[in-house]
Amino acid sequence: MSGARRVLRWLAVRLAGAVFVLWSIATLIFFALRLVPGDPALAILGGPGSQASEEALALVRQEYGLDRPVSEQYLLAMGRLLVGDLGTSYSLRQDVLGLIAEQFWGTLLLTVLALATAWLLALGLATWATRGSRAGRAVASALEIVAAAVPHFWLASVLILLFSTTLGMLPPVSVPGPLGLVLPVVTLALPLAGFLAQVMRESLADALESPFALSARARGESETGVRLRHAVRHAALPAISLSGWAFGSLISGAVVVETVFARPGLGRSLLKAVTDRDIPLVTGIALVSALAFVLVTIATDALDRVADPRLRGS
């Protein structure tokens, strides 16, 4: 099979998988939200405090198709999604696609910066753990484990207490400009950095003892050269493979981080939409987040194939 046909087949398989994932998520959200106690019609009219009459509730159910059988509601919802119609937010009375477009770039910037920061921290920890003394390796390994296990909400609280309340160096909530991004990015990045560092440390240690590293040393290559030119590339392969998953975990972590730091974004909007039983907005945010995750996963797989020649023939 030619290289072009192999790439097209690989891409077709990934795109088919992406469509299946998006359909599965839309189906799961549709039925899960209908299992939540409460009347969607009441949520549309402003919640329990609106004191809506039965006549008003009946009219809303008819307008939104909530009086139809669940199977018919499902088919209508899937049909709208096929043409890119995410509907209108129940609570905000605005087009869902427009609302998501307003919040998406803030969350994307936060996650991309957090992923880049996590990579740099992980590489630093992995290098320290494989290059330092026995005590240094033990400290680096302990830091990796602790960082990976720290919950986002607890870490955010500690960082606010230390850098905002005590030292007064950074704002406790997200404000416009670079300073407003520092604490949210670090909060998202540290737990992921701990996990990636553990993976990279093992790969880096194996790479430094591999035949190509020994051959490079025999040719007179310095230890720094062996690490930078040979070992780091091989050590990064498992972390590259995990970057798609890492991006997804950062999107889910953004729900907590954006709420704690009062930062506008998809995560904070999703939490409010779930609280308000805003079915169109919940569905739209979940689907856009899933689509971003799928696209990043495909890009990560492609990068993995470029970095690892052994995968190019598969």
Side-chain angles (χ1 to χ4, degrees):
M1 183 181 294
S2 66
R5 291 182 62 186
R6 190 181 297 115
V7 170
L8 288 176
R9 186 187 67 172
W10 175 85
L11 186 59
V13 171
R14 295 302 188 279
L15 291 177
V19 172
F20 176 76
V21 167
L22 294 176
W23 170 77
S24 301
I25 290 174
T27 300
L28 180 63
I29 292 172
F30 178 87
F31 288 105
L33 288 177
R34 277 152 181 81
L35 294 176
V36 177
D39 187 353
L42 192 60
I44 294 172
L45 291 175
S50 64
Q51 299 180 347
S53 65
E54 285 299 325
E55 292 79 7
L57 290 172
L59 287 173
V60 167
R61 293 189 188 102
Q62 183 178 9
E63 179 183 354
Y64 286 87
L66 299 174
D67 56 345
R68 301 181 183 183
V70 174
S71 58
E72 188 175 344
Q73 293 182 43
Y74 172 74
L75 292 175
L76 289 172
M78 294 301 107
R80 287 193 296 269
L81 290 178
L82 277 176
V83 297
D85 181 10
L86 298 180
T88 303
S89 168
Y90 290 168
S91 58
L92 300 175
R93 304 292 193 276
Q94 296 180 43
D95 179 62
V96 169
L97 196 58
L99 288 170
I100 292 175
E102 292 176 4
Q103 306 294 334
F104 176 75
W105 298 111
T107 299
L108 181 63
L109 176 63
L110 178 64
T111 52
V112 168
L113 289 177
L115 183 60
T117 303
W119 257 87
L120 291 175
L121 292 174
L123 184 59
L125 279 173
T127 302
W128 183 18
T130 56
R131 191 171 188 173
S133 62
R134 179 175 298 180
R137 290 194 295 269
V139 171
S141 299
L143 288 175
E144 294 169 1
I145 296 172
V146 171
V150 171
H152 287 119
F153 69 89
W154 184 86
L155 179 59
S157 302
V158 170
L159 291 177
I160 290 173
L161 181 63
L162 177 60
F163 291 101
S164 299
T165 306
T166 304
L167 299 177
M169 295 172 57
L170 296 168
V173 296
S174 185
V175 297
L179 286 181
L181 277 167
V182 174
L183 291 185
V185 167
V186 172
T187 301
L188 265 184
L190 275 180
L192 178 59
F195 179 81
L196 291 178
Q198 294 178 59
V199 176
M200 293 177 69
R201 172 167 51 87
E202 297 297 330
S203 299
L204 185 58
D206 291 340
L208 289 172
E209 299 299 327
S210 61
F212 66 81
L214 297 176
S215 176
R217 292 190 186 97
R219 295 194 304 267
E221 187 96 36
S222 66
E223 188 64 25
T224 300
V226 170
R227 286 176 176 271
L228 294 180
R229 296 180 186 178
H230 305 285
V232 169
R233 176 182 174 183
H234 288 266
L237 292 177
I240 291 175
S241 301
L242 288 171
S243 290
W245 164 85
F247 185 82
S249 72
L250 290 175
I251 291 178
S252 62
V255 175
V256 175
V257 172
E258 288 176 354
T259 302
V260 172
F261 290 101
R263 177 177 174 80
L266 290 182
R268 192 178 175 196
S269 298
L270 178 61
L271 182 63
K272 186 178 185 305
V274 171
T275 304
D276 295 339
R277 284 183 57 86
D278 194 333
I279 295 174
L281 188 54
V282 171
T283 304
I285 291 175
L287 286 177
V288 169
S289 301
L291 178 60
F293 169 71
V294 167
L295 292 177
V296 169
T297 301
I298 293 175
T300 300
D301 288 346
L303 183 60
D304 212 6
R305 292 165 69 89
V306 171
D308 191 350
R310 295 170 297 179
L311 299 176
R312 295 173 191 172
S314 59

